[in-house]
Amino acid sequence: KQIAPLILVGIENTERRRDLTGTTTVAKDREIAPRVGGAAEFRAFVRDELMPTIQRQYRCSEGRAIIGESLAGLFVVETLLLDPKLFNRYIAFDPSLWWNEHRLLDGCEMSLKTLDSTPRHFWFASSSTEGIQEHSRQLSKILEHTAPKSLQWKFEDHPSEQHSTIFRATKESAMIWALWK
């Protein structure tokens, strides 16, 4: 009874690395994901097809949350910054902010300045994983200086955890903090 009842929708990707990433100009990114840049289309599918279907079939409130880990965590952060009205609760575990030489962080301050006054919650955590921890900490510093009052946010730094353990170690904390009471 620490969060309100909710409908949980798991979304299976047809091609995870394509669906969860924006474009990249980095050759190393293309080595691990030869087809990339489908995040905008995947977000459009969630907004234009999936959400209306769920609303037609179930009794839904106005609350919408998204949770993701690793590349899905990158998708969560990108959605908050590029299409913030899609959800009002965002949870990202070890987001892969290193993607495309961490360019998402380069435009983060400007995106935060354009957020409207709609209340939003953003919780994210980082493990000790090199390439993830430093960029999550950087995002936390950007939020300290730039986050509007309408964005309640919390960062949990867990240097004793690894990429493979961060979700299990922090999921309860994330959901209690970020989801509706």
Side-chain angles (χ1 to χ4, degrees), residues 2-66:
Q2 293 180 309
I3 62 173
L6 54 86
I7 298 170
L8 176 65
V9 178
I11 307 170
E12 185 176 358
N13 302 91
T14 55
E15 196 171 330
R16 183 176 189 276
R17 291 180 175 157
R18 177 202 62 205
D19 293 343
L20 299 176
T21 60
T23 59
T24 184
T25 58
V26 179
K28 196 171 185 179
D29 292 350
R30 291 223 174 248
E31 286 175 21
I32 62 165
R35 290 175 20 125
V36 299
E41 286 181 37
F42 189 61
R43 213 174 350 269
F45 160 74
V46 170
R47 179 185 53 249
D48 302 335
E49 294 180 47
L50 183 61
M51 286 180 155
T53 298
I54 293 167
Q55 289 172 321
R56 278 192 306 273
Q57 293 184 8
Y58 301 96
R59 189 180 64 210
C60 299
S61 70
E62 293 300 312
R64 304 281 182 275
I66 185 169

Side-chain angles (χ1 to χ4, degrees), residues 77 81 95 97 105-106 108-110 112-113 122 124 126 132-148 151 153-157:
V77 176
L81 297 175
L97 298 171
L105 292 177
D106 294 342
C108 183
E109 288 184 36
M110 192 60 153
L112 288 168
K113 288 179 182 177
F122 174 45
F124 65 114
S126 177
I132 291 181
Q133 183 181 52
E134 58 268 27
H135 299 302
S136 292
R137 287 177 177 172
Q138 181 184 358
L139 176 57
S140 176
K141 287 185 171 130
I142 291 169
L143 288 165
E144 281 178 26
H145 296 98
T146 314
L151 179 64
W153 64 276
K154 183 175 183 179
F155 171 58
E156 289 190 14
D157 195 2

Side-chain angles (χ1 to χ4, degrees), residues 82-139:
L82 302 182
D83 195 358
K85 293 180 181 181
L86 192 53
F87 299 94
N88 45 26
R89 309 283 175 146
Y90 295 81
I91 299 174
F93 302 90
D94 250 7
S96 297
L97 298 171
W98 51 266
W99 182 258
N100 196 24
E101 294 181 341
H102 52 83
R103 288 206 178 102
L104 185 61
L105 292 177
D106 294 342
C108 183
E109 288 184 36
M110 192 60 153
S111 294
L112 288 168
K113 288 179 182 177
T114 64
L115 286 179
D116 63 19
S117 61
T118 304
R120 291 181 182 83
H121 291 75
F122 174 45
W123 181 99
F124 65 114
S126 177
S127 69
S128 62
T129 304
E130 187 178 330
I132 291 181
Q133 183 181 52
E134 58 268 27
H135 299 302
S136 292
R137 287 177 177 172
Q138 181 184 358
L139 176 57

